[in-house]
Structure formats: C-alpha cells, structure tokens
Amino acid sequence: MPVEVTWWGHATVTVEDSGVRVLTDPLFVRRLAHLRRRRGALPPPEAARADLVVVSHLHADHLHPASLARLAPGTRLVVPRGAMAAVAGLRRVAAERRLRVTEVLPGEEVAAGAVTVRAVRAAHDGRRLPYGPHRVPALGYVVQGAARTYFAGDTGLFDEMADEVGVCEVALLPVGGWGPFLGHGHLNARRAAEAAARLAPCSAVPVHYGTYWPIGMDAVRPHEFHSPGQEFERQSALVAPEVRVHRPGHGERIRPVVAR
C-alpha cells in the first residue's frame, strides 16, 4: 500500500500508512500572536481526523492547544517527556477532550494499528518560550508501517542525524520558518538538502515554510517566505540527486516514491 502525505501548511502533515493516519504538529488557525496565515486555506475539519497525533516540541506554532481541541475525543497524542507539566493549556485540553497522552524520549516507541512511531532526537530548543524549562526535549519521529517516514519537526543539522533516524523512505524536512531570519537549530533550504543527502531517503518533502509570516513584515526579505521550497528542490538536485523531491501545495495529498 503506498504511503500518502498531505501537507496542511507549516509543520502540519498527515501521513497515511497501512490504514493509519498520523498527524504532525497540528496548527489550524488563521492567526497566532503576531503571525498570520498568508498562504493556503485553513485546513478543513478532516485534517483533524487522526489515529495518532505527534507533537515535536513545545513552541506555540507546534504545540497549539486550541488546535489540539479539534481532535476527536480519545485521540492518542504523543508529546515530548515533560510537556504535560510544562504547558497548562495542554493539560486542560487533554482533560476536556479525553486525549490519551503518551510522553516519550528519543528511542521510545508508540504503536497504533500496523504502524509504530519512534521518537528521535532533534537539535532544537524545545522549551515553551519564553519561560519554559530546558528539560523538555525537542523530537522528531519516524513513522514505520509499509514504509518509514521521518518527520523532523524543527531541527538543525547534527552529526548523528542519519544514525539517529536510520533507514527511511520518506523525509519530511523543514526548509524555512515564519520570519525573515532563521535562528539556531533550524534547517534552511541548503541545510535541509544536506540533511536529505545524509539520510538518503527515496523521497523528500519540504515543509515548515510559506504559510505564516509576521504581521506588517510582508516586504521584509519576502524571498524567505516564498522561495524555500523551490530552493530546497534546487539544492537537493545538486547534493542529493538520487532523492526525489515532492513539493505539494497546501492541502495537497501526494504519494511519495518509496522505492528506487
């Protein structure tokens, strides 16, 4: 059965494998603090339908309690170890929606039907900014069913990335951000292409770009909003030509290549 990937915008992706829907970092709002959604319609109600939801880290554009409140009661939610203690809004939504929350550390696994999700390390500040505790890690996840799909969350390059992730057929890689400058612990298009070269998946899908942008800053370095997906495709052709890049539009479902 082919793996299907739907990019809803930013880091929100549905991975369908072996009849199981895994949703990543759900963010279903038009505005978040100083950010507004500039491209792509808001995800439809079906975007919140999932058998398992994973949250990579505690930043507000990745762990968003109001978006988690759209999940069906009883949905399985996987978060980094310590998230429940660190975020009161998460505790409240989990209780109201009766979410089945599992906290994990790198190397730990959670099963859902025929799919296993393994947490892996990410090189990123995982705190709930600005005051959250440093003890909550940032994570990526490997979804293993008929294929192995790596969702990187937010991360910088690190030497052990390929060993940490292991063999994967599909890599969902962040290639941009939500502002004109990327801070430490992020991948831009060039570094994401290098990550693709190291991981050597059959397919790579750029995410985390071209969706949210600070209000009033439309004219400030606009290429950082518009171009990361295309630039990732260009850079990957140079350093990882064997990797097939799929660049979906917002809300588009694709079937990435999972075999060479």
Side-chain angles (χ1 to χ4, degrees):
M1 178 182 295
V3 174
E4 294 189 335
V5 170
T6 305
W7 182 48
W8 302 110
H10 203 54
T12 306
V13 181
T14 295
V15 178
E16 298 180 67
D17 189 327
S18 305
V20 177
R21 290 172 61 97
V22 178
L23 176 65
T24 70
D25 289 356
L27 185 59
F28 299 140
V29 291
R30 193 173 304 280
R31 179 172 174 177
L32 175 64
H34 64 300
L35 306 178
R36 67 181 174 92
R37 191 177 182 106
R38 285 193 58 200
R39 181 182 291 164
L42 283 177
E46 71 176 76
R49 183 168 60 85
D51 302 293
L52 183 73
V53 178
V54 298
V55 169
S56 61
H57 62 290
L58 304 191
H59 291 176
D61 56 323
H62 293 260
L63 172 56
H64 188 250
S67 295
L68 295 176
R70 290 180 53 179
L71 301 176
T75 300
R76 187 78 174 272
L77 176 64
V78 179
V79 299
R81 180 75 58 84
M84 289 287 279
V87 183
L90 173 60
R91 296 194 299 274
R92 182 179 64 253
V93 168
E96 291 173 352
R97 303 299 291 173
R98 302 190 304 280
L99 303 179
R100 295 180 294 141
V101 181
T102 301
E103 296 188 319
V104 294
L105 290 172
E108 295 182 334
E109 296 183 346
V110 177
V115 164
T116 299
V117 174
R118 173 170 55 92
V120 298
R121 184 164 69 89
H124 190 70
D125 183 348
R127 292 177 296 163
R128 186 70 164 182
L129 297 177
Y131 305 118
H134 282 277
R135 65 178 179 270
V136 182
L139 302 174
Y141 295 93
V142 178
V143 179
Q144 183 165 346
R148 288 154 293 195
T149 301
Y150 169 48
F151 168 64
D154 256 353
T155 187
L157 273 176
F158 56 99
D159 291 342
E160 305 83 7
M161 177 180 279
D163 291 335
E164 183 83 11
V165 174
V167 176
C168 65
E169 283 74 41
V170 182
L172 311 176
L173 298 174
V175 301
W178 50 253
F181 300 99
L182 282 175
H184 178 71
H186 294 84
L187 297 177
N188 60 15
R190 179 183 58 79
R191 293 192 294 271
E194 184 175 339
R198 295 184 187 185
L199 294 165
C202 299
S203 295
V205 180
V207 299
H208 203 291
Y209 77 100
T211 308
Y212 292 92
W213 201 249
I215 294 170
M217 296 188 69
D218 291 9
V220 180
R221 296 173 63 86
H223 63 283
E224 297 292 353
F225 178 83
H226 292 286
S227 67
Q230 291 176 308
E231 181 63 12
F232 170 72
E233 196 168 17
R234 188 183 75 83
Q235 293 282 349
S236 295
L238 296 175
V239 301
E242 73 285 357
V243 177
R244 169 76 176 273
V245 174
H246 301 263
R247 188 161 54 87
H250 289 79
E252 182 179 356
R253 177 181 295 182
I254 61 169
R255 290 184 175 180
V257 174
V258 296
R260 291 193 173 95

